[in-house]
């Protein structure tokens, strides 16, 4: 899976992930890799560990489901290990069979 596919799956399943965990999975610079992406509701599922919210997004750019996730006690995947395990459990079957 590439970065776009992982973010799409996180958004579809309503699971947030920290910038650091996602950066470590793809071995990219955590300070810059999301700055190149548009502030969309789908991308808003990639969040700061401290706040649980995406950095630099206006209210209308944040997926309303992310706010509900936070209000209901949802926590972002905070480590690359947690993200890898989550992906194994949530990856579409045709993707997961070859992993």
């Amino acid at each position: 899976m590439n970065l776009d596919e992982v973010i799409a799956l996180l958004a579809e399943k309503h699971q947030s992930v920290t910038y650091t965990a996602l950066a470590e999975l793809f071995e990219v610079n955590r300070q810059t890799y999301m700055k190149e992406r548009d502030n969309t509701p789908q991308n808003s599922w990639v969040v700061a560990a401290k706040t649980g919210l995406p950095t630099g997004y206006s209210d209308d750019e944040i997926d309303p489901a992310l706010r509900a996730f936070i209000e209901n006690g949802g926590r972002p995947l905070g480590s690359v290990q947690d993200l890898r395990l989550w992906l194994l459990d949530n990856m579409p079957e045709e993707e997961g069979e070859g992993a």
Side-chain angles (χ1 to χ4, degrees):
M1 294 186 88
N2 65 32
L3 180 61
D4 290 331
E5 293 167 331
V6 170
I7 292 173
L9 184 61
L10 289 160
E12 176 188 333
K13 301 288 186 175
H14 292 172
Q15 175 59 61
S16 62
V17 66
T18 63
Y19 292 109
T20 300
L22 194 58
E24 288 178 7
L25 181 68
F26 288 99
E27 298 178 353
V28 294
N29 183 316
R30 71 179 178 86
Q31 300 293 331
T32 59
Y33 77 101
M34 288 301 289
K35 289 181 182 178
E36 300 168 0
R37 304 179 67 85
D38 293 332
N39 289 359
T40 64
Q42 179 169 295
N43 288 335
S44 72
W45 288 90
V46 183
V47 301
K50 194 175 227 179
T51 64
L53 292 168
T55 303
Y57 281 60
S58 64
D59 285 341
D60 64 324
E61 294 171 331
I62 297 173
D63 190 330
L66 175 60
R67 292 207 183 272
F69 173 79
I70 294 166
E71 289 169 7
N72 290 322
R75 311 265 309 150
L77 300 168
S79 71
V80 69
Q81 294 86 356
D82 289 344
L83 176 55
R84 284 188 178 120
L85 290 173
W86 185 90
L87 287 169
L88 286 173
D89 288 342
N90 290 278
M91 202 177 309
E93 285 299 316
E94 61 276 4
E95 297 270 344
E97 290 175 2

